[in-house]
Each structure stands twice: as structure tokens, then as C-alpha cells.
Coordinates of all heavy atoms in Angstrom, one line a residue:
M676 N 120.3 79.5 120.3 CA 120.7 79.0 121.6 C 121.7 77.9 121.3 O 121.4 77.0 120.5 CB 119.5 78.5 122.3 CG 119.8 78.1 123.7 SD 118.4 77.7 124.8 CE 117.2 79.0 124.4
D677 N 122.8 78.0 122.0 CA 123.8 76.9 121.8 C 123.8 75.8 122.8 O 123.1 75.9 123.9 CB 125.2 77.5 121.7 CG 125.7 78.2 122.9 OD1 125.4 77.7 124.0 OD2 126.4 79.2 122.8
A678 N 124.5 74.8 122.5 CA 124.5 73.6 123.4 C 125.0 73.9 124.8 O 124.5 73.3 125.8 CB 125.3 72.5 122.8
Q679 N 126.0 74.8 124.9 CA 126.5 75.1 126.3 C 125.4 75.7 127.1 O 125.3 75.4 128.3 CB 127.7 76.1 126.1 CG 128.3 76.4 127.5 CD 129.6 77.2 127.4 OE1 130.1 77.4 126.3 NE2 130.0 77.7 128.5
V680 N 124.6 76.6 126.6 CA 123.5 77.2 127.3 C 122.5 76.1 127.8 O 122.1 76.1 129.0 CB 122.8 78.3 126.5 CG1 121.5 78.7 127.2 CG2 123.7 79.5 126.2
V681 N 122.2 75.2 127.0 CA 121.3 74.1 127.3 C 121.8 73.3 128.4 O 121.2 72.9 129.4 CB 120.9 73.3 126.1 CG1 120.0 72.2 126.5 CG2 120.2 74.2 125.1
T682 N 123.1 72.9 128.3 CA 123.8 72.1 129.3 C 123.8 72.9 130.7 O 123.5 72.3 131.7 CB 125.2 71.8 128.9 OG1 125.2 71.1 127.7 CG2 125.9 71.0 129.9
E683 N 124.1 74.1 130.7 CA 124.1 74.9 131.9 C 122.7 75.1 132.5 O 122.5 75.0 133.7 CB 124.7 76.3 131.6 CG 126.2 76.3 131.4 CD 126.8 77.6 130.9 OE1 126.0 78.6 130.8 OE2 128.0 77.7 130.7
A684 N 121.8 75.3 131.6 CA 120.4 75.5 132.0 C 119.9 74.2 132.7 O 119.2 74.2 133.7 CB 119.5 75.9 130.9
L685 N 120.2 73.1 132.1 CA 119.7 71.8 132.7 C 120.4 71.6 134.1 O 119.7 71.2 135.0 CB 120.0 70.6 131.8 CG 119.6 69.3 132.3 CD1 118.1 69.2 132.5 CD2 120.0 68.1 131.4
A686 N 121.7 71.9 134.2 CA 122.4 71.7 135.5 C 121.7 72.6 136.5 O 121.5 72.2 137.7 CB 123.9 72.1 135.3
L687 N 121.4 73.8 136.2 CA 120.7 74.8 137.1 C 119.4 74.2 137.5 O 119.0 74.3 138.7 CB 120.6 76.1 136.4 CG 120.2 77.3 137.3 CD1 121.2 77.5 138.4 CD2 120.1 78.6 136.4
A688 N 118.6 73.7 136.5 CA 117.3 73.2 136.8 C 117.4 71.9 137.7 O 116.6 71.7 138.6 CB 116.6 72.8 135.5
E689 N 118.4 71.1 137.5 CA 118.6 69.9 138.3 C 118.9 70.2 139.7 O 118.6 69.5 140.6 CB 119.7 69.0 137.6 CG 119.2 68.3 136.4 CD 118.3 67.1 136.6 OE1 118.8 66.2 137.3 OE2 117.2 67.2 136.2
A690 N 119.6 71.3 139.9 CA 120.1 71.7 141.3 C 119.0 72.2 142.1 O 119.1 72.3 143.4 CB 121.2 72.7 141.2
A691 N 117.9 72.7 141.5 CA 116.8 73.3 142.3 C 115.9 72.2 143.0 O 115.8 71.1 142.5 CB 115.9 74.1 141.3
A692 N 115.4 72.6 144.1 CA 114.6 71.7 145.0 C 113.3 71.3 144.3 O 112.8 70.2 144.4 CB 114.3 72.3 146.3
T693 N 112.6 72.3 143.6 CA 111.3 72.0 143.0 C 111.4 72.5 141.5 O 112.2 73.4 141.2 CB 110.2 72.7 143.7 OG1 110.3 74.1 143.5 CG2 110.1 72.4 145.2
V694 N 110.4 72.1 140.7 CA 110.3 72.6 139.4 C 110.1 74.1 139.3 O 110.6 74.8 138.5 CB 109.3 71.8 138.5 CG1 107.9 72.2 139.0 CG2 109.5 72.1 137.1
R695 N 109.3 74.6 140.3 CA 109.1 76.1 140.4 C 110.3 76.8 140.7 O 110.6 77.9 140.2 CB 107.9 76.4 141.4 CG 106.6 75.7 141.0 CD 105.7 76.6 140.4 NE 104.5 75.9 140.0 CZ 103.9 75.9 138.8 NH1 104.5 76.6 137.9 NH2 102.9 75.2 138.6
D696 N 111.1 76.3 141.6 CA 112.4 76.9 142.0 C 113.3 76.9 140.8 O 114.1 77.8 140.5 CB 113.1 76.2 143.1 CG 112.3 76.4 144.5 OD1 111.5 77.3 144.6 OD2 112.6 75.5 145.4
A697 N 113.3 75.8 140.0 CA 114.1 75.7 138.8 C 113.7 76.7 137.8 O 114.6 77.4 137.2 CB 113.9 74.3 138.2
A698 N 112.4 76.9 137.6 CA 112.0 78.0 136.7 C 112.5 79.3 137.1 O 112.9 80.1 136.3 CB 110.5 77.9 136.6
Q699 N 112.4 79.6 138.4 CA 112.8 81.0 138.9 C 114.3 81.1 138.6 O 114.7 82.2 138.2 CB 112.5 81.1 140.4 CG 112.8 82.5 140.9 CD 112.1 83.6 140.2 OE1 110.9 83.5 139.8 NE2 112.7 84.7 140.1
A700 N 115.1 80.1 138.9 CA 116.5 80.2 138.7 C 116.9 80.4 137.2 O 117.7 81.2 136.9 CB 117.2 78.9 139.2
L701 N 116.2 79.7 136.4 CA 116.4 79.9 134.9 C 116.0 81.3 134.5 O 116.7 81.9 133.6 CB 115.6 78.8 134.1 CG 116.1 77.4 134.3 CD1 115.2 76.4 133.6 CD2 117.5 77.2 133.7
R702 N 114.9 81.8 135.0 CA 114.4 83.1 134.6 C 115.4 84.2 135.0 O 115.7 85.1 134.3 CB 113.1 83.4 135.2 CG 111.9 82.6 134.6 CD 110.6 82.9 135.3 NE 109.6 82.1 134.8 CZ 108.8 81.3 135.5 NH1 109.0 81.2 136.8 NH2 107.9 80.5 134.9
E703 N 116.0 84.0 136.2 CA 117.0 85.0 136.7 C 118.3 84.9 135.9 O 118.9 85.9 135.5 CB 117.3 84.7 138.2 CG 116.1 85.1 139.1 CD 116.3 84.7 140.5 OE1 117.4 84.1 140.9 OE2 115.4 84.9 141.3
R704 N 118.7 83.7 135.6 CA 120.0 83.5 134.9 C 119.9 83.8 133.4 O 120.9 84.4 132.8 CB 120.5 82.0 135.1 CG 121.7 81.6 134.3 CD 122.9 82.3 134.7 NE 124.1 81.8 134.0 CZ 124.6 82.4 132.9 NH1 124.0 83.4 132.4 NH2 125.7 81.9 132.4
Y705 N 118.8 83.5 132.8 CA 118.7 83.7 131.3 C 117.7 84.7 130.8 O 117.3 84.6 129.7 CB 118.4 82.3 130.7 CG 119.5 81.3 130.9 CD1 119.4 80.3 131.8 CD2 120.7 81.4 130.3 CE1 120.4 79.4 132.1 CE2 121.8 80.5 130.5 CZ 121.6 79.5 131.4 OH 122.6 78.6 131.7
A706 N 117.4 85.7 131.6 CA 116.5 86.8 131.2 C 117.2 87.4 130.0 O 118.4 87.5 129.9 CB 116.4 87.8 132.3
P707 N 116.4 87.7 129.0 CA 115.0 87.7 128.8 C 114.3 86.5 128.2 O 113.2 86.5 127.8 CB 114.7 88.9 127.9 CG 115.9 88.8 126.9 CD 117.1 88.3 127.8
L708 N 115.0 85.3 128.2 CA 114.4 84.1 127.8 C 113.2 83.8 128.6 O 113.2 84.0 129.8 CB 115.4 82.9 127.8 CG 116.5 82.9 126.8 CD1 117.4 81.7 127.0 CD2 116.0 83.0 125.4
R709 N 112.1 83.2 128.0 CA 111.0 82.8 128.8 C 111.1 81.4 129.3 O 111.7 80.6 128.6 CB 109.7 82.9 127.9 CG 109.4 84.3 127.3 CD 109.0 85.2 128.4 NE 108.6 86.4 127.8 CZ 108.7 87.6 128.4 NH1 109.2 87.7 129.6 NH2 108.3 88.7 127.8
V710 N 110.6 81.2 130.4 CA 110.6 79.8 131.0 C 109.2 79.5 131.5 O 108.6 80.3 132.3 CB 111.6 79.7 132.2 CG1 111.5 78.3 132.8 CG2 113.0 80.0 131.8
V711 N 108.6 78.4 130.9 CA 107.2 78.1 131.2 C 107.2 76.7 131.9 O 107.8 75.7 131.2 CB 106.3 78.1 130.0 CG1 104.9 77.7 130.3 CG2 106.4 79.5 129.3
V712 N 106.6 76.5 133.0 CA 106.5 75.2 133.7 C 105.2 74.5 133.1 O 104.2 75.1 133.1 CB 106.4 75.4 135.2 CG1 106.2 74.0 135.9 CG2 107.7 76.0 135.8
V713 N 105.4 73.3 132.7 CA 104.3 72.6 132.2 C 104.3 71.1 132.7 O 105.4 70.7 133.2 CB 104.2 72.5 130.6 CG1 104.0 73.9 130.0 CG2 105.5 71.9 130.1
D714 N 103.2 70.5 132.7 CA 103.1 69.1 133.1 C 103.8 68.2 132.1 O 103.6 68.4 130.9 CB 101.7 68.7 133.3 CG 101.5 67.4 134.0 OD1 101.6 66.3 133.3 OD2 101.3 67.4 135.2
A715 N 104.5 67.2 132.6 CA 105.2 66.3 131.6 C 104.3 65.6 130.7 O 104.6 65.3 129.6 CB 106.0 65.3 132.5
F716 N 103.0 65.3 131.2 CA 102.0 64.6 130.4 C 101.7 65.4 129.1 O 101.5 64.9 128.1 CB 100.8 64.4 131.2 CG 99.7 63.6 130.5 CD1 99.8 62.2 130.3 CD2 98.6 64.3 129.9 CE1 98.8 61.6 129.6 CE2 97.7 63.6 129.2 CZ 97.7 62.3 129.0
D717 N 101.7 66.8 129.3 CA 101.4 67.6 128.2 C 102.5 67.7 127.1 O 102.2 68.1 126.0 CB 101.1 69.0 128.7 CG 99.8 69.1 129.5 OD1 98.9 68.3 129.3 OD2 99.8 70.0 130.4
M718 N 103.6 67.2 127.5 CA 104.8 67.2 126.5 C 105.0 65.9 125.9 O 106.0 65.7 125.1 CB 106.0 67.7 127.3 CG 105.9 69.1 127.9 SD 105.4 70.4 126.7 CE 107.0 70.6 125.9
R719 N 104.1 64.9 126.1 CA 104.3 63.6 125.5 C 104.4 63.7 124.0 O 103.7 64.5 123.4 CB 103.2 62.6 126.0 CG 101.9 63.0 125.4 CD 100.8 62.2 126.1 NE 99.5 62.5 125.6 CZ 98.8 63.6 125.9 NH1 99.3 64.5 126.7 NH2 97.6 63.8 125.3
G720 N 105.3 63.0 123.4 CA 105.5 63.1 122.0 C 106.4 64.2 121.5 O 106.7 64.2 120.3
E721 N 106.8 65.1 122.4 CA 107.7 66.2 122.0 C 109.1 65.8 122.2 O 109.4 64.9 123.1 CB 107.4 67.5 122.8 CG 106.0 68.0 122.6 CD 105.7 68.6 121.2 OE1 106.6 68.7 120.4 OE2 104.5 68.9 121.0
T722 N 110.0 66.3 121.5 CA 111.4 66.0 121.6 C 112.1 67.0 122.6 O 112.1 68.2 122.3 CB 112.1 66.1 120.2 OG1 111.5 65.2 119.3 CG2 113.6 65.8 120.3
P723 N 112.7 66.5 123.6 CA 113.4 67.4 124.6 C 114.7 67.9 124.1 O 115.3 67.3 123.2 CB 113.7 66.4 125.8 CG 113.1 65.1 125.5 CD 112.7 65.1 124.1
A724 N 115.0 69.1 124.5 CA 116.3 69.7 124.3 C 117.3 69.1 125.2 O 118.5 68.9 124.8 CB 116.2 71.2 124.5
A725 N 116.9 68.8 126.4 CA 117.8 68.1 127.4 C 117.0 67.5 128.5 O 116.0 67.9 128.8 CB 118.7 69.2 128.0
Q726 N 117.6 66.3 129.0 CA 116.9 65.6 130.0 C 117.9 65.3 131.1 O 119.0 64.9 130.8 CB 116.4 64.3 129.5 CG 115.2 64.4 128.6 CD 114.7 63.0 128.2 OE1 114.2 62.3 129.1 NE2 114.9 62.6 127.0
G727 N 117.5 65.5 132.4 CA 118.3 65.2 133.5 C 117.6 64.1 134.3 O 116.7 63.5 133.8
D728 N 118.1 63.9 135.5 CA 117.5 62.9 136.4 C 116.1 63.3 136.9 O 115.2 62.5 137.1 CB 118.4 62.6 137.6 CG 119.7 61.9 137.2 OD1 119.7 61.2 136.1 OD2 120.7 62.1 137.9
T729 N 115.9 64.6 137.1 CA 114.6 65.1 137.6 C 113.9 66.1 136.8 O 112.7 66.4 137.0 CB 114.9 65.7 139.0 OG1 115.8 66.8 138.9 CG2 115.4 64.7 140.0
R730 N 114.5 66.7 135.8 CA 113.9 67.8 135.0 C 114.1 67.5 133.5 O 115.1 66.9 133.1 CB 114.5 69.1 135.3 CG 114.6 69.5 136.7 CD 113.3 70.1 137.3 NE 113.5 70.6 138.6 CZ 113.3 69.9 139.7 NH1 112.7 68.7 139.6 NH2 113.5 70.3 140.9
T731 N 113.2 68.0 132.7 CA 113.4 68.0 131.2 C 113.1 69.4 130.7 O 112.2 70.1 131.1 CB 112.4 67.0 130.6 OG1 112.6 65.7 131.2 CG2 112.6 66.9 129.1
L732 N 114.0 69.8 129.7 CA 113.8 71.1 129.1 C 113.5 70.8 127.6 O 114.0 69.9 126.9 CB 115.2 71.8 129.1 CG 115.7 72.3 130.4 CD1 117.1 72.9 130.2 CD2 114.8 73.4 131.0
Y733 N 112.6 71.7 127.1 CA 112.2 71.7 125.7 C 112.4 73.1 125.2 O 112.2 74.1 125.9 CB 110.7 71.3 125.5 CG 110.3 70.0 126.1 CD1 110.1 69.8 127.4 CD2 110.3 68.9 125.2 CE1 109.7 68.6 127.9 CE2 110.0 67.6 125.8 CZ 109.7 67.5 127.1 OH 109.4 66.3 127.6
Y734 N 112.8 73.3 123.9 CA 112.9 74.6 123.3 C 111.5 75.1 123.1 O 110.7 74.4 122.5 CB 113.6 74.5 122.0 CG 115.1 74.2 122.1 CD1 115.6 73.1 121.3 CD2 116.0 74.9 122.9 CE1 116.9 72.8 121.3 CE2 117.3 74.6 122.9 CZ 117.8 73.5 122.1 OH 119.1 73.2 122.1
G735 N 111.3 76.4 123.4 CA 110.1 77.1 123.1 C 110.3 78.2 122.1 O 111.3 78.9 122.2
A736 N 109.5 78.3 121.1 CA 109.6 79.3 120.0 C 108.3 80.1 120.0 O 107.2 79.5 120.3 CB 109.8 78.7 118.7
S737 N 108.4 81.3 119.6 CA 107.2 82.2 119.6 C 107.2 83.0 118.3 O 108.3 83.5 117.9 CB 107.2 83.1 120.8 OG 106.1 84.0 120.7
D738 N 106.0 83.3 117.8 CA 105.9 84.2 116.7 C 105.5 85.6 117.2 O 105.1 86.4 116.4 CB 104.8 83.7 115.7 CG 103.4 83.6 116.4 OD1 103.2 84.0 117.5 OD2 102.5 83.1 115.7
G739 N 105.6 85.8 118.5 CA 105.3 87.1 119.1 C 104.0 87.0 119.8 O 103.6 87.9 120.6
H740 N 103.2 86.0 119.5 CA 101.9 85.8 120.2 C 101.7 84.4 120.7 O 101.5 84.2 121.9 CB 100.8 86.1 119.2 CG 99.4 86.0 119.8 ND1 98.9 86.8 120.7 CD2 98.4 85.0 119.5 CE1 97.7 86.3 121.1 NE2 97.4 85.3 120.3
C741 N 101.8 83.4 119.9 CA 101.7 82.0 120.2 C 103.0 81.3 120.5 O 104.0 81.7 119.8 CB 100.9 81.3 119.1 SG 99.2 81.8 118.9
W742 N 103.0 80.4 121.4 CA 104.2 79.6 121.7 C 104.0 78.2 121.2 O 102.9 77.7 121.1 CB 104.4 79.6 123.2 CG 105.0 80.8 123.7 CD1 104.4 82.0 124.1 CD2 106.4 81.1 123.8 NE1 105.2 82.9 124.4 CE2 106.5 82.5 124.3 CE3 107.6 80.4 123.6 CZ2 107.7 83.1 124.5 CZ3 108.8 81.0 123.8 CH2 108.9 82.3 124.3
K743 N 105.2 77.6 120.8 CA 105.2 76.2 120.4 C 106.5 75.5 120.7 O 107.5 76.2 121.0 CB 104.9 76.1 118.9 CG 106.1 76.6 118.0 CD 105.9 76.5 116.6 CE 107.1 77.0 115.8 NZ 106.9 76.8 114.4
V744 N 106.5 74.2 120.8 CA 107.7 73.5 121.0 C 108.4 73.4 119.7 O 107.8 73.1 118.6 CB 107.4 72.1 121.6 CG1 108.7 71.3 121.7 CG2 106.7 72.2 122.9
T745 N 109.8 73.5 119.7 CA 110.5 73.4 118.5 C 111.8 72.5 118.8 O 112.2 72.5 119.9 CB 111.0 74.8 117.9 OG1 111.7 74.5 116.7 CG2 111.9 75.5 118.9
S746 N 112.3 71.9 117.8 CA 113.5 71.2 118.0 C 114.7 72.0 117.4 O 115.9 71.5 117.5 CB 113.5 69.8 117.3 OG 113.2 70.0 115.9
D747 N 114.4 73.1 116.9 CA 115.4 74.0 116.3 C 116.0 75.0 117.3 O 115.3 76.0 117.7 CB 114.8 74.7 115.1 CG 115.8 75.6 114.4 OD1 117.0 75.7 114.8 OD2 115.4 76.2 113.4
P748 N 117.2 74.8 117.8 CA 117.7 75.8 118.8 C 117.8 77.2 118.3 O 117.8 78.2 119.1 CB 119.1 75.2 119.2 CG 119.4 74.2 118.2 CD 118.1 73.8 117.5
A749 N 117.9 77.4 117.0 CA 118.0 78.8 116.4 C 116.7 79.5 116.6 O 116.7 80.7 116.6 CB 118.4 78.7 115.0
Q750 N 115.6 78.8 116.7 CA 114.3 79.4 116.9 C 113.9 79.6 118.4 O 113.0 80.4 118.7 CB 113.2 78.6 116.3 CG 113.2 78.5 114.8 CD 112.0 77.7 114.3 OE1 111.3 77.0 115.0 NE2 111.8 77.7 113.0
A751 N 114.7 79.0 119.3 CA 114.3 79.0 120.7 C 114.4 80.4 121.3 O 115.3 81.1 121.1 CB 115.2 78.1 121.5
A752 N 113.3 80.8 121.9 CA 113.2 82.1 122.7 C 112.9 81.8 124.1 O 112.7 82.7 124.9 CB 112.0 82.9 122.1
G753 N 113.0 80.5 124.5 CA 112.8 80.2 125.9 C 112.7 78.7 126.1 O 113.1 77.9 125.1
F754 N 112.3 78.2 127.3 CA 112.2 76.8 127.6 C 110.9 76.5 128.2 O 110.3 77.3 128.9 CB 113.2 76.4 128.7 CG 114.7 76.5 128.3 CD1 115.5 77.5 128.9 CD2 115.2 75.6 127.4 CE1 116.8 77.5 128.5 CE2 116.6 75.7 127.1 CZ 117.4 76.6 127.6
F755 N 110.4 75.3 127.8 CA 109.3 74.7 128.5 C 110.1 73.7 129.5 O 111.0 73.0 129.1 CB 108.4 73.9 127.6 CG 107.6 74.7 126.7 CD1 107.9 74.8 125.3 CD2 106.5 75.4 127.2 CE1 107.2 75.6 124.5 CE2 105.7 76.2 126.3 CZ 106.1 76.3 125.0
L756 N 109.6 73.7 130.8 CA 110.3 72.9 131.8 C 109.3 72.0 132.5 O 108.2 72.4 132.8 CB 110.9 73.9 132.8 CG 111.4 73.4 134.1 CD1 112.7 72.6 133.9 CD2 111.8 74.6 135.1
T757 N 109.7 70.8 132.6 CA 108.9 69.8 133.3 C 109.7 69.1 134.4 O 110.9 69.0 134.3 CB 108.3 68.7 132.4 OG1 109.3 67.9 131.9 CG2 107.6 69.4 131.2
D758 N 109.0 68.5 135.4 CA 109.5 67.5 136.2 C 109.6 66.3 135.3 O 108.7 66.0 134.5 CB 108.7 67.2 137.4 CG 109.0 68.1 138.6 OD1 110.2 68.5 138.8 OD2 108.1 68.4 139.4
K759 N 110.6 65.5 135.5 CA 110.7 64.3 134.6 C 109.7 63.3 135.1 O 109.5 63.0 136.2 CB 112.1 63.7 134.7 CG 112.4 62.7 133.7 CD 113.9 62.4 133.6 CE 114.2 61.4 132.5 NZ 115.6 61.0 132.6
S760 N 109.0 62.7 134.1 CA 107.9 61.8 134.4 C 108.4 60.4 134.6 O 109.5 60.1 134.2 CB 106.8 61.8 133.4 OG 107.4 61.5 132.1

């Protein structure tokens, strides 16, 4: 995943009225990437891929079964999305 995709994804997420609306917009725009809404508290200590005024994106990587946060955009198969805490 390149920096332009992350920048565009954050702008799309920021434009949505709610975090759920943001997730839906990202799913539609970036299919088949996965988008998972999580609570910001659960992401404490993780490094964001991008932060806006209202939303934060994290790279999500999967081994085909389990998901984890990664800081490596080459491993990213989706986003974890939170409202900014």
C-alpha cells in the first residue's frame, strides 16, 4: 500500500459523518481491502498509518486467519479505523 492510498483513505474517512460511515466508504472505495472499526482505547500503543482531526487509520495485516497491526505498508491488507480519541 502506498502513501497516496493512505492519504486518500484518510481524507475519505475524515469526510464521513460517523466512523461507521467512514468504514463503509473505505470498503466501497478500496475493496477488497478489509476495514475494521475498533475502539481507540484498544489501539493504544500502536503506531498509526495516518491521523486526521477525527479519525485514525492503522495498517492491518493478516496471515489468512489472524489479524494484527503492522507498521509495514507492504504487509497491509486493510485498515483498522478508529474515531480519534
